[in-house]
Amino acid sequence: MNLVSSFKSLTPKPFVTRWRSPSNIAFVKYWGKKGHQLPANPSLSMTLKECYSETEVLFSPSDSLKVELFLEGKFEKKFSDKIENYLRSLNLSWPSQVHYKIETRNTFPHGTGIASSASGLSAFALCLTDYFYFLKGEEGNFFETASFLARLASGSACRSIYGGFTSWGEESDLYASPLHVHPDVLKLRNTILVVSSEEKAVPSTLGHGHMKEHVYASARFDQAKVHFQKMKSALRSGDLEMMGGILESEALSLHAMMLTAPKPYSLMKPQTLKAINMIWNFRDETKLPIYFTLDAGPNLHLIYPEVHQEKIKTFITHELSFIAQKVIDDERGDGPVKC
């Protein structure tokens, strides 16, 4: 199945569009690929609200493919080349007759494990989908197409196309789907402890590649499949204790895969481990439902219900904030918007 096959015979025209697309935090991690940008196990994530990328693309007919990407006003050749390679991989001839001028910015540090690739590439995929349907002159399944295009750029980006909670790899490996959850789960808060704003030393693409020869890969994929079903059940029933246990196990399993990779590495910092122990101690003492997770980076996402936010935020402000460079207060978001 190829959702872009219907866009093969189009004629480029001038067009400009702007989309704001959020990051997401994976509750069940995607780590390892099969085929072309397909997940080795299903994943599930919560779409964020305050952490997003805002991207404007000016499309102009041209004699050849040209991509100019500006991040925060600065030309980025590495990212321009990445988008150019991505466009060529779509196997459509006419996108090579377009000049793409991309202006993008993030509301959070780039390349630090807060899924800037998910927000940035989903925002570009939304702009591209907008352009495709503009040239085609008809409406279609816009967000499904955008999720398909986003996946081809970055696996986790396909989940940022929808608000709330999203799954990928169960209904389809080709695009993500919205997930219905308990009303209490929709009120979850997410405070991000940025313990390091440095760009991570090992990109996620390399991390996924390590899974091909990882001695524990098959066990990890089996674990993720079991966790996916249990997490889905917990989110639908509102069982926050079950959710939290799986949430933390998934984070630690992800980083265990890095520590035991064929070429071992760690993305956690000393402050990451210190914060984890402080969270465990606070939860044991207060019995309050605060849980953590990490994506492929050192920065912690603290997940907790809105009803307990006053006491938990006091703990974050008075204790955890002193070991963080920055604290980002976030929550469940409603998904992308056209600007």
Side-chain angles (χ1 to χ4, degrees):
M1 181 180 179
N2 190 333
L3 293 182
V4 301
S5 59
S6 63
F7 301 107
K8 279 190 176 295
S9 302
L10 299 176
T11 303
K13 298 177 185 177
F15 185 68
V16 62
T17 186
R18 176 190 291 262
W19 280 85
R20 176 183 296 172
S21 190
S23 178
N24 67 74
I25 176 61
F27 279 33
V28 176
K29 311 297 184 182
Y30 145 66
W31 199 245
K33 303 179 184 182
K34 61 182 181 182
H36 180 51
Q37 285 292 99
L38 299 174
N41 64 264
S43 61
L44 191 158
S45 64
M46 182 175 80
T47 301
L48 302 183
K49 181 179 180 180
E50 302 300 335
C51 291
Y52 61 82
S53 298
E54 189 167 291
T55 300
E56 180 180 279
V57 183
L58 174 63
F59 301 88
S60 305
S62 176
D63 293 334
S64 60
L65 174 61
K66 183 177 182 182
V67 177
E68 293 180 297
L69 187 148
F70 297 84
L71 175 62
E72 311 286 352
K74 180 183 176 183
F75 175 70
E76 294 284 351
K77 187 178 187 307
K78 179 177 71 173
F79 297 139
S80 298
D81 291 345
K82 183 174 182 177
I83 294 294
E84 184 173 323
N85 291 334
Y86 161 71
L87 290 165
R88 293 189 191 281
S89 74
L90 297 179
N91 293 320
L92 301 173
S93 59
W94 64 265
S96 294
Q97 301 165 16
V98 178
H99 175 196
Y100 305 79
K101 184 179 180 183
I102 305 165
E103 300 272 359
T104 188
R105 68 176 187 90
N106 299 323
T107 60
F108 59 99
H110 170 82
T112 59
I114 314 179
S116 56
S117 62
S119 60
L121 290 169
S122 63
F124 178 73
L126 286 157
C127 291
L128 191 61
T129 305
D130 216 358
Y131 188 46
F132 280 14
Y133 280 112
F134 163 73
L135 295 180
K136 196 173 182 183
E138 62 182 57
E139 295 183 359
N141 198 333
F142 184 91
F143 290 102
E144 190 174 285
T145 301
S147 183
F148 178 89
L149 287 169
R151 172 188 62 83
L152 294 174
S154 167
S156 59
C158 76
R159 298 192 309 250
S160 282
I161 298 297
Y162 299 99
F165 285 78
T166 307
S167 69
W168 172 43
E170 182 184 41
E171 292 184 25
S172 175
D173 286 348
L174 302 178
Y175 47 83
S177 305
L179 182 72
H180 297 290
V181 300
H182 193 279
D184 290 347
V185 173
L186 294 174
K187 297 178 182 179
L188 286 175
R189 305 291 302 186
N190 172 30
T191 296
I192 305 170
L193 294 184
V194 182
V195 301
S196 175
S197 56
E198 295 177 2
E199 190 164 347
K200 56 190 180 185
V202 180
S204 293
T205 301
L206 290 179
H208 283 287
H210 287 319
M211 292 298 285
K212 293 178 181 178
E213 299 178 355
H214 203 300
V215 66
Y216 299 129
S218 60
R220 164 56 198 157
F221 299 146
D222 288 343
Q223 179 196 47
K225 290 170 185 175
V226 171
H227 279 175
F228 178 85
Q229 295 300 330
K230 289 184 176 180
M231 179 65 80
K232 191 169 63 169
S233 176
L235 294 176
R236 285 177 170 169
S237 66
D239 188 337
L240 297 186
E241 185 175 355
M242 180 188 289
M243 177 208 76
I246 300 169
L247 189 74
E248 295 187 355
S249 178
E250 277 289 299
L252 296 174
S253 292
L254 172 67
H255 285 265
M257 292 300 100
M258 300 175 194
L259 290 166
T260 54
K263 186 177 180 181
Y265 65 100
S266 176
L267 295 181
M268 291 191 289
K269 303 290 186 181
Q271 299 95 318
T272 307
L273 296 172
K274 183 176 181 180
I276 288 173
N277 280 287
M278 290 172 69
I279 293 162
W280 281 337
N281 291 336
F282 176 78
R283 191 168 69 220
D284 287 343
E285 291 169 3
T286 64
K287 309 305 178 186
L288 291 174
I290 176 175
Y291 305 97
F292 71 84
T293 187
L294 303 96
D295 270 348
N299 301 314
L300 286 151
H301 291 253
L302 310 183
I303 306 294
Y304 53 93
E306 184 180 61
V307 67
H308 295 296
Q309 67 175 323
E310 184 176 348
K311 290 181 179 179
I312 289 174
K313 281 190 175 180
T314 298
F315 164 60
I316 293 170
T317 300
H318 291 170
E319 298 188 48
L320 290 178
S321 65
F322 292 103
I323 60 174
Q325 294 180 359
K326 184 178 182 180
V327 176
I328 301 174
D329 190 32
D330 212 331
E331 61 187 297
R332 186 268 311 167
D334 294 327
V337 293
K338 188 173 181 178
C339 307

PDB file of all heavy atoms in Angstrom, residues 218-242:
ATOM      1  N   SER A 218      15.250  -9.560  20.229  1.00  0.00           N
ATOM      2  CA  SER A 218      13.992 -10.305  20.148  1.00  0.00           C
ATOM      3  C   SER A 218      13.243 -10.275  21.482  1.00  0.00           C
ATOM      4  O   SER A 218      12.006 -10.154  21.515  1.00  0.00           O
ATOM      5  CB  SER A 218      14.233 -11.747  19.704  1.00  0.00           C
ATOM      6  OG  SER A 218      15.072 -12.424  20.622  1.00  0.00           O
ATOM      7  N   ALA A 219      13.998 -10.359  22.592  1.00  0.00           N
ATOM      8  CA  ALA A 219      13.365 -10.287  23.911  1.00  0.00           C
ATOM      9  C   ALA A 219      12.764  -8.906  24.139  1.00  0.00           C
ATOM     10  O   ALA A 219      11.673  -8.773  24.714  1.00  0.00           O
ATOM     11  CB  ALA A 219      14.382 -10.608  25.005  1.00  0.00           C
ATOM     12  N   ARG A 220      13.464  -7.877  23.679  1.00  0.00           N
ATOM     13  CA  ARG A 220      12.946  -6.509  23.822  1.00  0.00           C
ATOM     14  C   ARG A 220      11.665  -6.327  23.003  1.00  0.00           C
ATOM     15  O   ARG A 220      10.684  -5.747  23.494  1.00  0.00           O
ATOM     16  CB  ARG A 220      14.018  -5.496  23.379  1.00  0.00           C
ATOM     17  CG  ARG A 220      13.498  -4.094  23.124  1.00  0.00           C
ATOM     18  CD  ARG A 220      12.779  -3.494  24.323  1.00  0.00           C
ATOM     19  NE  ARG A 220      11.952  -2.364  23.912  1.00  0.00           N
ATOM     20  CZ  ARG A 220      10.909  -1.914  24.568  1.00  0.00           C
ATOM     21  NH1 ARG A 220      10.521  -2.496  25.697  1.00  0.00           N
ATOM     22  NH2 ARG A 220      10.209  -0.889  24.121  1.00  0.00           N
ATOM     23  N   PHE A 221      11.639  -6.822  21.775  1.00  0.00           N
ATOM     24  CA  PHE A 221      10.447  -6.674  20.947  1.00  0.00           C
ATOM     25  C   PHE A 221       9.260  -7.411  21.573  1.00  0.00           C
ATOM     26  O   PHE A 221       8.136  -6.908  21.568  1.00  0.00           O
ATOM     27  CB  PHE A 221      10.706  -7.188  19.531  1.00  0.00           C
ATOM     28  CG  PHE A 221      11.800  -6.452  18.799  1.00  0.00           C
ATOM     29  CD1 PHE A 221      12.625  -7.129  17.901  1.00  0.00           C
ATOM     30  CD2 PHE A 221      12.016  -5.103  19.008  1.00  0.00           C
ATOM     31  CE1 PHE A 221      13.634  -6.459  17.225  1.00  0.00           C
ATOM     32  CE2 PHE A 221      13.039  -4.421  18.347  1.00  0.00           C
ATOM     33  CZ  PHE A 221      13.847  -5.107  17.453  1.00  0.00           C
ATOM     34  N   ASP A 222       9.520  -8.591  22.127  1.00  0.00           N
ATOM     35  CA  ASP A 222       8.453  -9.350  22.797  1.00  0.00           C
ATOM     36  C   ASP A 222       7.932  -8.584  24.015  1.00  0.00           C
ATOM     37  O   ASP A 222       6.721  -8.529  24.264  1.00  0.00           O
ATOM     38  CB  ASP A 222       8.959 -10.724  23.234  1.00  0.00           C
ATOM     39  CG  ASP A 222       9.178 -11.676  22.066  1.00  0.00           C
ATOM     40  OD1 ASP A 222       8.645 -11.406  20.970  1.00  0.00           O
ATOM     41  OD2 ASP A 222       9.894 -12.683  22.256  1.00  0.00           O
ATOM     42  N   GLN A 223       8.862  -8.006  24.777  1.00  0.00           N
ATOM     43  CA  GLN A 223       8.477  -7.223  25.952  1.00  0.00           C
ATOM     44  C   GLN A 223       7.605  -6.034  25.543  1.00  0.00           C
ATOM     45  O   GLN A 223       6.567  -5.750  26.171  1.00  0.00           O
ATOM     46  CB  GLN A 223       9.719  -6.712  26.689  1.00  0.00           C
ATOM     47  CG  GLN A 223       9.397  -5.858  27.908  1.00  0.00           C
ATOM     48  CD  GLN A 223      10.592  -5.046  28.388  1.00  0.00           C
ATOM     49  OE1 GLN A 223      11.268  -4.403  27.589  1.00  0.00           O
ATOM     50  NE2 GLN A 223      10.861  -5.101  29.682  1.00  0.00           N
ATOM     51  N   ALA A 224       8.010  -5.334  24.497  1.00  0.00           N
ATOM     52  CA  ALA A 224       7.268  -4.147  24.044  1.00  0.00           C
ATOM     53  C   ALA A 224       5.856  -4.514  23.589  1.00  0.00           C
ATOM     54  O   ALA A 224       4.902  -3.760  23.830  1.00  0.00           O
ATOM     55  CB  ALA A 224       8.026  -3.459  22.912  1.00  0.00           C
ATOM     56  N   LYS A 225       5.714  -5.669  22.946  1.00  0.00           N
ATOM     57  CA  LYS A 225       4.389  -6.100  22.490  1.00  0.00           C
ATOM     58  C   LYS A 225       3.465  -6.387  23.673  1.00  0.00           C
ATOM     59  O   LYS A 225       2.282  -6.036  23.648  1.00  0.00           O
ATOM     60  CB  LYS A 225       4.529  -7.338  21.592  1.00  0.00           C
ATOM     61  CG  LYS A 225       5.168  -7.029  20.244  1.00  0.00           C
ATOM     62  CD  LYS A 225       5.520  -8.301  19.469  1.00  0.00           C
ATOM     63  CE  LYS A 225       6.270  -7.959  18.188  1.00  0.00           C
ATOM     64  NZ  LYS A 225       6.734  -9.180  17.469  1.00  0.00           N
ATOM     65  N   VAL A 226       4.005  -7.011  24.709  1.00  0.00           N
ATOM     66  CA  VAL A 226       3.220  -7.262  25.921  1.00  0.00           C
ATOM     67  C   VAL A 226       2.885  -5.947  26.612  1.00  0.00           C
ATOM     68  O   VAL A 226       1.739  -5.708  27.032  1.00  0.00           O
ATOM     69  CB  VAL A 226       3.984  -8.198  26.878  1.00  0.00           C
ATOM     70  CG1 VAL A 226       3.272  -8.293  28.229  1.00  0.00           C
ATOM     71  CG2 VAL A 226       4.139  -9.583  26.269  1.00  0.00           C
ATOM     72  N   HIS A 227       3.881  -5.068  26.734  1.00  0.00           N
ATOM     73  CA  HIS A 227       3.662  -3.764  27.363  1.00  0.00           C
ATOM     74  C   HIS A 227       2.631  -2.936  26.599  1.00  0.00           C
ATOM     75  O   HIS A 227       1.841  -2.208  27.208  1.00  0.00           O
ATOM     76  CB  HIS A 227       4.984  -2.991  27.437  1.00  0.00           C
ATOM     77  CG  HIS A 227       5.839  -3.391  28.584  1.00  0.00           C
ATOM     78  ND1 HIS A 227       7.115  -2.888  28.776  1.00  0.00           N
ATOM     79  CD2 HIS A 227       5.615  -4.235  29.618  1.00  0.00           C
ATOM     80  CE1 HIS A 227       7.632  -3.412  29.868  1.00  0.00           C
ATOM     81  NE2 HIS A 227       6.742  -4.230  30.395  1.00  0.00           N
ATOM     82  N   PHE A 228       2.645  -3.045  25.286  1.00  0.00           N
ATOM     83  CA  PHE A 228       1.685  -2.281  24.469  1.00  0.00           C
ATOM     84  C   PHE A 228       0.253  -2.648  24.837  1.00  0.00           C
ATOM     85  O   PHE A 228      -0.589  -1.772  25.055  1.00  0.00           O
ATOM     86  CB  PHE A 228       1.942  -2.539  22.984  1.00  0.00           C
ATOM     87  CG  PHE A 228       0.982  -1.826  22.067  1.00  0.00           C
ATOM     88  CD1 PHE A 228       1.220  -0.516  21.684  1.00  0.00           C
ATOM     89  CD2 PHE A 228      -0.161  -2.463  21.595  1.00  0.00           C
ATOM     90  CE1 PHE A 228       0.336   0.152  20.841  1.00  0.00           C
ATOM     91  CE2 PHE A 228      -1.051  -1.805  20.755  1.00  0.00           C
ATOM     92  CZ  PHE A 228      -0.795  -0.500  20.379  1.00  0.00           C
ATOM     93  N   GLN A 229      -0.036  -3.929  24.909  1.00  0.00           N
ATOM     94  CA  GLN A 229      -1.396  -4.376  25.226  1.00  0.00           C
ATOM     95  C   GLN A 229      -1.784  -3.970  26.650  1.00  0.00           C
ATOM     96  O   GLN A 229      -2.913  -3.522  26.905  1.00  0.00           O
ATOM     97  CB  GLN A 229      -1.516  -5.890  25.041  1.00  0.00           C
ATOM     98  CG  GLN A 229      -1.347  -6.358  23.608  1.00  0.00           C
ATOM     99  CD  GLN A 229      -2.373  -5.755  22.647  1.00  0.00           C
ATOM    100  OE1 GLN A 229      -3.508  -5.446  23.038  1.00  0.00           O
ATOM    101  NE2 GLN A 229      -1.972  -5.571  21.395  1.00  0.00           N
ATOM    102  N   LYS A 230      -0.854  -4.122  27.600  1.00  0.00           N
ATOM    103  CA  LYS A 230      -1.138  -3.748  28.987  1.00  0.00           C
ATOM    104  C   LYS A 230      -1.297  -2.238  29.139  1.00  0.00           C
ATOM    105  O   LYS A 230      -2.169  -1.772  29.892  1.00  0.00           O
ATOM    106  CB  LYS A 230      -0.020  -4.259  29.904  1.00  0.00           C
ATOM    107  CG  LYS A 230      -0.016  -5.774  30.089  1.00  0.00           C
ATOM    108  CD  LYS A 230       1.055  -6.198  31.082  1.00  0.00           C
ATOM    109  CE  LYS A 230       1.005  -7.698  31.342  1.00  0.00           C
ATOM    110  NZ  LYS A 230       2.048  -8.121  32.312  1.00  0.00           N
ATOM    111  N   MET A 231      -0.465  -1.477  28.433  1.00  0.00           N
ATOM    112  CA  MET A 231      -0.568  -0.026  28.508  1.00  0.00           C
ATOM    113  C   MET A 231      -1.892   0.457  27.918  1.00  0.00           C
ATOM    114  O   MET A 231      -2.557   1.343  28.470  1.00  0.00           O
ATOM    115  CB  MET A 231       0.611   0.636  27.785  1.00  0.00           C
ATOM    116  CG  MET A 231       0.580   2.160  27.778  1.00  0.00           C
ATOM    117  SD  MET A 231       0.737   2.909  29.431  1.00  0.00           S
ATOM    118  CE  MET A 231       2.518   2.790  29.668  1.00  0.00           C
ATOM    119  N   LYS A 232      -2.266  -0.134  26.803  1.00  0.00           N
ATOM    120  CA  LYS A 232      -3.535   0.244  26.174  1.00  0.00           C
ATOM    121  C   LYS A 232      -4.700  -0.022  27.131  1.00  0.00           C
ATOM    122  O   LYS A 232      -5.606   0.811  27.271  1.00  0.00           O
ATOM    123  CB  LYS A 232      -3.702  -0.542  24.869  1.00  0.00           C
ATOM    124  CG  LYS A 232      -4.849  -0.058  24.000  1.00  0.00           C
ATOM    125  CD  LYS A 232      -4.796  -0.682  22.615  1.00  0.00           C
ATOM    126  CE  LYS A 232      -4.968  -2.174  22.669  1.00  0.00           C
ATOM    127  NZ  LYS A 232      -5.176  -2.771  21.330  1.00  0.00           N
ATOM    128  N   SER A 233      -4.660  -1.161  27.802  1.00  0.00           N
ATOM    129  CA  SER A 233      -5.696  -1.498  28.773  1.00  0.00           C
ATOM    130  C   SER A 233      -5.702  -0.513  29.945  1.00  0.00           C
ATOM    131  O   SER A 233      -6.769  -0.061  30.393  1.00  0.00           O
ATOM    132  CB  SER A 233      -5.472  -2.929  29.291  1.00  0.00           C
ATOM    133  OG  SER A 233      -6.388  -3.252  30.300  1.00  0.00           O
ATOM    134  N   ALA A 234      -4.512  -0.154  30.434  1.00  0.00           N
ATOM    135  CA  ALA A 234      -4.411   0.778  31.562  1.00  0.00           C
ATOM    136  C   ALA A 234      -4.943   2.158  31.194  1.00  0.00           C
ATOM    137  O   ALA A 234      -5.648   2.799  31.991  1.00  0.00           O
ATOM    138  CB  ALA A 234      -2.955   0.882  32.016  1.00  0.00           C
ATOM    139  N   LEU A 235      -4.627   2.631  30.010  1.00  0.00           N
ATOM    140  CA  LEU A 235      -5.072   3.956  29.581  1.00  0.00           C
ATOM    141  C   LEU A 235      -6.580   3.993  29.354  1.00  0.00           C
ATOM    142  O   LEU A 235      -7.228   5.009  29.609  1.00  0.00           O
ATOM    143  CB  LEU A 235      -4.338   4.364  28.302  1.00  0.00           C
ATOM    144  CG  LEU A 235      -2.825   4.585  28.440  1.00  0.00           C
ATOM    145  CD1 LEU A 235      -2.204   4.893  27.089  1.00  0.00           C
ATOM    146  CD2 LEU A 235      -2.523   5.702  29.433  1.00  0.00           C
ATOM    147  N   ARG A 236      -7.127   2.904  28.883  1.00  0.00           N
ATOM    148  CA  ARG A 236      -8.573   2.856  28.641  1.00  0.00           C
ATOM    149  C   ARG A 236      -9.378   2.709  29.932  1.00  0.00           C
ATOM    150  O   ARG A 236     -10.509   3.188  30.026  1.00  0.00           O
ATOM    151  CB  ARG A 236      -8.892   1.722  27.665  1.00  0.00           C
ATOM    152  CG  ARG A 236      -8.500   2.067  26.236  1.00  0.00           C
ATOM    153  CD  ARG A 236      -8.746   0.929  25.270  1.00  0.00           C
ATOM    154  NE  ARG A 236      -8.572   1.377  23.885  1.00  0.00           N
ATOM    155  CZ  ARG A 236      -8.525   0.559  22.843  1.00  0.00           C
ATOM    156  NH1 ARG A 236      -8.640  -0.748  23.009  1.00  0.00           N
ATOM    157  NH2 ARG A 236      -8.367   1.050  21.631  1.00  0.00           N
ATOM    158  N   SER A 237      -8.791   2.064  30.934  1.00  0.00           N
ATOM    159  CA  SER A 237      -9.487   1.877  32.211  1.00  0.00           C
ATOM    160  C   SER A 237      -9.167   2.976  33.212  1.00  0.00           C
ATOM    161  O   SER A 237      -9.848   3.105  34.242  1.00  0.00           O
ATOM    162  CB  SER A 237      -9.120   0.512  32.809  1.00  0.00           C
ATOM    163  OG  SER A 237      -7.743   0.472  33.158  1.00  0.00           O
ATOM    164  N   GLY A 238      -8.119   3.752  32.948  1.00  0.00           N
ATOM    165  CA  GLY A 238      -7.699   4.798  33.880  1.00  0.00           C
ATOM    166  C   GLY A 238      -6.872   4.278  35.025  1.00  0.00           C
ATOM    167  O   GLY A 238      -6.760   4.921  36.083  1.00  0.00           O
ATOM    168  N   ASP A 239      -6.241   3.111  34.845  1.00  0.00           N
ATOM    169  CA  ASP A 239      -5.405   2.511  35.887  1.00  0.00           C
ATOM    170  C   ASP A 239      -4.019   3.156  35.845  1.00  0.00           C
ATOM    171  O   ASP A 239      -3.110   2.697  35.141  1.00  0.00           O
ATOM    172  CB  ASP A 239      -5.310   1.001  35.651  1.00  0.00           C
ATOM    173  CG  ASP A 239      -4.613   0.262  36.796  1.00  0.00           C
ATOM    174  OD1 ASP A 239      -3.836   0.906  37.530  1.00  0.00           O
ATOM    175  OD2 ASP A 239      -4.835  -0.952  36.933  1.00  0.00           O
ATOM    176  N   LEU A 240      -3.846   4.222  36.628  1.00  0.00           N
ATOM    177  CA  LEU A 240      -2.596   4.989  36.578  1.00  0.00           C
ATOM    178  C   LEU A 240      -1.420   4.232  37.191  1.00  0.00           C
ATOM    179  O   LEU A 240      -0.270   4.436  36.779  1.00  0.00           O
ATOM    180  CB  LEU A 240      -2.784   6.329  37.279  1.00  0.00           C
ATOM    181  CG  LEU A 240      -3.816   7.277  36.647  1.00  0.00           C
ATOM    182  CD1 LEU A 240      -3.792   8.623  37.364  1.00  0.00           C
ATOM    183  CD2 LEU A 240      -3.578   7.458  35.164  1.00  0.00           C
ATOM    184  N   GLU A 241      -1.684   3.359  38.146  1.00  0.00           N
ATOM    185  CA  GLU A 241      -0.586   2.593  38.756  1.00  0.00           C
ATOM    186  C   GLU A 241       0.005   1.614  37.745  1.00  0.00           C
ATOM    187  O   GLU A 241       1.225   1.485  37.631  1.00  0.00           O
ATOM    188  CB  GLU A 241      -1.084   1.848  39.989  1.00  0.00           C
ATOM    189  CG  GLU A 241       0.038   1.137  40.742  1.00  0.00           C
ATOM    190  CD  GLU A 241      -0.430   0.499  42.036  1.00  0.00           C
ATOM    191  OE1 GLU A 241      -1.605   0.680  42.400  1.00  0.00           O
ATOM    192  OE2 GLU A 241       0.391  -0.183  42.680  1.00  0.00           O
ATOM    193  N   MET A 242      -0.870   0.922  37.001  1.00  0.00           N
ATOM    194  CA  MET A 242      -0.376   0.021  35.966  1.00  0.00           C
ATOM    195  C   MET A 242       0.345   0.819  34.885  1.00  0.00           C
ATOM    196  O   MET A 242       1.421   0.422  34.430  1.00  0.00           O
ATOM    197  CB  MET A 242      -1.525  -0.771  35.327  1.00  0.00           C
ATOM    198  CG  MET A 242      -1.055  -1.743  34.238  1.00  0.00           C
ATOM    199  SD  MET A 242      -2.410  -2.517  33.313  1.00  0.00           S
ATOM    200  CE  MET A 242      -3.060  -3.612  34.578  1.00  0.00           C
TER     201      MET A 242
END
